[in-house]
Amino acid sequence: MAITPARHCSGSNLSAPIPHGRIFRAFAAARPVLGLPNFSKHGWKPVAATQKPLIEICVEGIDGLLAAQAAGADRVELCASLIEGGITPSLGTVRSALESATIPFHVIVRPRGGDFLNVTCHRAFDMTRDAAEALEALIRCKVGRVLTSGQRDTAVEGIELLAELVRQAGSRIIILGCGALAPDTIGEVRKRTGLTEMHFAALADVPSAMRYRNPNVGMGGTDLDREYRNTVTDQAKVAATIAAARA
């Protein structure tokens, strides 16, 4: 298909004719940067005209996945609520897709509609083989912060790696330290690692307010006593841990 460059640019202060040759030279200069195919004044010339492109279809739910693969798609992006631009589908939908799909599919990771969030990598990082290499990968992916206990059960046990990660990260990514942080440990961890952000859950069990408790039935599991305890955030523990961290 031949290219017919526009003769005029309408808009603010741009109305003069532009020579065709100048347009082609501008496109030619921009082509490598923009990733455009090769072309000449006689038309577009794809770099690999015989190579078939991989086709990925954005779908909502299992019905969309089945329709896309039946129509010959190479891959699917599985979403919910495409009217919002696509958000993460339910776990049930993903499980159904694993059972039904005969082509590869990607699951969108986007918790809500609207603008995009500053991304935090959760503690999957602590399961990686090489923490330093994994951190560089997250930085390349523009992840904002990583939640980690230094690849140990507690931050105290992982304190040396946490300090190394803080030094490696510099200002490129935030290391968000976690792992059984409490009033008697958080201060030491902060001072020895240089962490600027720390994460913890100050939880406590409180008895249920139910007066009558049927001993013959449970709502789930085998620990009937556990069903009559509620886990809540303990305000006093939160305050004490914060105070210790800032001391």
Side-chain angles (χ1 to χ4, degrees):
M1 179 178 70
I3 297 177
T4 305
R7 295 184 62 86
H8 295 81
C9 293
S10 60
S12 59
N13 302 323
L14 292 175
S15 59
I18 300 176
H20 290 189
R22 187 181 302 172
I23 291 177
F24 278 109
R25 287 194 295 273
F27 268 99
R31 180 186 57 77
V33 178
L34 300 177
L36 297 174
N38 291 325
F39 64 90
S40 71
K41 291 185 180 181
H42 304 291
W44 293 96
K45 291 184 178 179
V47 175
T50 60
Q51 182 177 352
K52 294 181 180 179
L54 184 148
I55 303 299
E56 179 183 89
I57 308 299
C58 180
V59 305
E60 180 172 335
I62 298 302
D63 289 346
L65 183 150
L66 295 175
Q69 70 182 18
D74 297 309
R75 189 172 66 209
V76 156
E77 182 188 42
L78 186 62
C79 307
S81 192
L82 288 181
I83 196 171
E84 296 181 88
I87 60 175
T88 304
S90 69
L91 180 58
T93 298
V94 175
R95 285 175 172 163
S96 294
L98 288 170
E99 295 173 357
S100 305
T102 58
I103 59 175
F105 66 93
H106 291 164
V107 177
I108 187 172
V109 179
R110 186 175 179 231
R112 59 165 175 79
D115 60 354
F116 288 86
L117 306 174
N118 188 13
V119 176
T120 297
C121 176
H122 210 265
R123 292 189 64 196
F125 176 86
D126 284 335
M127 304 301 290
T128 59
R129 186 188 306 274
D130 187 319
E133 181 180 347
L135 188 65
E136 292 300 324
L138 292 175
I139 291 169
R140 290 194 297 272
C141 292
K142 308 299 183 185
V143 173
R145 58 176 46 76
V146 55
L147 180 67
T148 174
S149 59
Q151 298 197 328
R152 295 293 186 271
D153 284 334
T154 71
V156 171
E157 294 172 318
I159 202 165
E160 293 184 4
L161 179 57
L162 283 170
E164 292 176 11
L165 292 171
V166 169
R167 287 192 292 270
Q168 179 184 347
S171 60
R172 300 180 297 163
I173 190 173
I174 296 169
I175 305 299
L176 178 58
C178 68
L181 293 171
D184 60 339
T185 61
I186 196 168
E188 178 188 5
V189 171
R190 182 185 66 82
K191 291 173 183 176
R192 290 181 56 185
T193 61
L195 285 165
T196 58
E197 295 190 8
M198 309 183 84
H199 168 107
F200 62 90
L203 303 177
D205 284 345
V206 298
S208 167
M210 289 183 64
R211 295 183 179 180
Y212 174 73
R213 303 178 182 184
N214 187 341
N216 301 312
V217 63
M219 294 295 102
T222 57
D223 185 0
L224 295 182
D225 183 59
R226 183 68 186 86
E227 294 190 1
Y228 296 103
R229 299 196 310 271
N230 297 317
T231 300
V232 300
T233 297
D234 188 314
Q235 183 175 336
K237 285 184 180 179
V238 172
T241 309
I242 291 174
R246 294 175 175 171

